[in-house]
């Protein structure tokens, strides 16, 4: 069971946000900042740079160490734009990666109250309607029944057992989101490679994608995510050890 949102961390279950704009972080930064919250026991998921803390009237406390996040994008240099115009060819974009150091709001002082306040987790009664609304919004053929949870790429539908079949009904939501994560790879969507059979690296990679999708969605909706099987973790570790860019 991942420690996100459990006793390993004091923070409420949520996606990390930029304190100044309330925008959510995405991609690998989510995992980086969750890990930092867990490691240091921060009480919230709000982050900001040293300069942003000053701009908000506060400051980072002396002796605090920040967490490195990244920003990746592409740009086209002026010389390349000129060359493309002269030759009629397409301009070639250059990828870049920037690193930023951010601090949790708990590492700062003098910040406005609306930045430092930790929102309470959603009431249990509000969770399931949010998941139902998300499932409906995807437009994916979603079926409830049987005794197995799976996604069928050939016919593009998801099926999961009914909630009452689970020892912990909350896990129905995590399972549903995991299978919907697989459905994002359909040819009409992200067009991922589903050719890997059970036990292969391709299969492990796809399972890693689906489980991270479920974790991100659960955190966004206030549901404690859990990993299904310990043997999955072993295969994921194999993927990650062989390719440090897998995530």
């Amino acid at each position: 069971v991942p420690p996100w949102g459990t006793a390993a961390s004091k923070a409420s279950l949520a996606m990390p946000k930029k304190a100044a704009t309330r925008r959510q972080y995405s991609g690998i930064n989510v995992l980086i900042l969750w890990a930092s919250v867990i490691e240091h026991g921060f009480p919230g998921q709000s982050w900001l740079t040293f300069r942003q803390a000053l701009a908000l009237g506060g400051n980072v406390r002396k002796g605090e160490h920040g967490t490195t996040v990244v920003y990746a994008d592409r740009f086209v240099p002026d010389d390349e734009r000129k060359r493309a115009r002269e030759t009629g060819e397409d301009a070639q974009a250059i990828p870049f990666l920037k690193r930023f150091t951010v601090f949790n709001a708990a590492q700062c002082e003098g910040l406005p109250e609306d930045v430092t306040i930790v929102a309470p987790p959603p009431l249990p009664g509000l969770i399931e309607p949010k998941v139902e609304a998300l499932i409906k919004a995807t437009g994916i053929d979603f079926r409830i029944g049987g005794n197995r949870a799976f996604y069928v790429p050939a016919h593009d539908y998801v099926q999961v057992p009914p909630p009452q079949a689970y020892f912990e009904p909350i896990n129905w939501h995590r399972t549903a989101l995991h299978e919907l994560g697989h459905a994002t790879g359909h040819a009409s969507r992200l067009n991922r490679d589903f050719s890997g059979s059970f036990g292969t690296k391709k299969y492990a990679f796809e399972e890693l994608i689906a489980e991270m999708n479920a974790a991100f969605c659960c955190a966004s909706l206030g549901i404690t995510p859990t990993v299904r099987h310990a043997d999955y973790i072993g295969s994921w570790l194999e993927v990650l050890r062989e390719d440090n860019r897998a995530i």
Side-chain angles (χ1 to χ4, degrees):
V1 177
W4 307 323
T6 66
S9 168
K10 300 175 184 176
S12 59
L13 184 67
M15 293 290 276
K17 293 181 180 179
K18 300 177 183 180
T21 63
R22 313 309 294 171
R23 290 181 60 187
Q24 293 183 356
Y25 285 90
S26 60
I28 190 66
N29 288 331
V30 177
L31 302 182
I32 291 172
L33 295 176
W34 272 348
S36 186
V37 164
I38 292 165
E39 180 181 358
H40 301 290
F42 295 134
Q45 302 278 7
S46 292
W47 300 84
L48 66 173
T49 64
F50 186 89
R51 289 186 178 181
Q52 287 171 340
L54 294 177
L56 290 172
N59 61 276
V60 176
R61 283 196 300 272
K62 188 175 181 179
E64 293 286 352
H65 296 282
T67 301
T68 301
V69 293
V70 296
Y71 173 70
D73 205 344
R74 293 173 178 269
F75 78 102
V76 180
D78 292 338
D79 289 347
E80 175 61 15
R81 293 181 190 276
K82 181 179 179 181
R83 185 197 67 80
R85 285 196 300 269
E86 292 174 351
T87 62
E89 299 176 354
D90 292 334
Q92 299 297 311
I94 298 176
F96 69 87
L97 182 74
K98 288 185 177 181
R99 294 177 174 85
F100 296 92
T101 299
V102 295
F103 297 86
N104 192 276
Q107 296 177 277
C108 305
E109 54 191 7
L111 295 176
E113 186 176 337
D114 63 338
V115 172
T116 58
I117 191 170
V118 177
L123 295 173
L126 299 179
I127 293 176
E128 191 167 341
K130 289 182 179 180
V131 177
E132 289 178 341
L134 176 58
I135 291 172
K136 183 179 292 186
T138 66
I140 293 168
D141 184 357
F142 186 89
R143 308 174 187 182
I144 297 177
N147 59 2
R148 293 190 303 122
F150 54 87
Y151 168 63
V152 182
H155 302 289
D156 193 24
Y157 75 88
V158 166
Q159 181 166 321
V160 296
Q164 58 269 29
Y166 289 72
F167 294 114
E168 297 291 339
I170 195 67
N171 281 340
W172 180 89
H173 303 84
R174 195 268 316 140
T175 301
L177 293 169
H178 175 102
E179 299 304 336
L180 282 171
H182 284 308
T184 66
H186 187 263
S188 65
R189 300 182 189 97
L190 298 179
N191 194 28
R192 288 197 303 275
D193 185 354
F194 285 134
S195 64
S197 57
F198 183 81
T200 64
K201 292 181 178 64
K202 286 183 179 180
Y203 182 90
F205 188 75
E206 175 60 27
E207 287 299 323
L208 181 57
I209 290 173
E211 197 65 19
M212 285 176 60
N213 166 81
F216 286 7
C217 289
C218 284
S220 298
L221 299 174
I223 300 170
T224 302
T226 57
V227 172
R228 292 193 294 182
H229 302 297
D231 57 344
Y232 277 172
I233 298 176
S235 61
W236 298 343
L237 288 174
E238 185 178 346
V239 169
L240 299 177
R241 287 191 185 108
E242 291 200 359
D243 180 5
N244 61 9
R245 292 188 172 191
I247 294 288

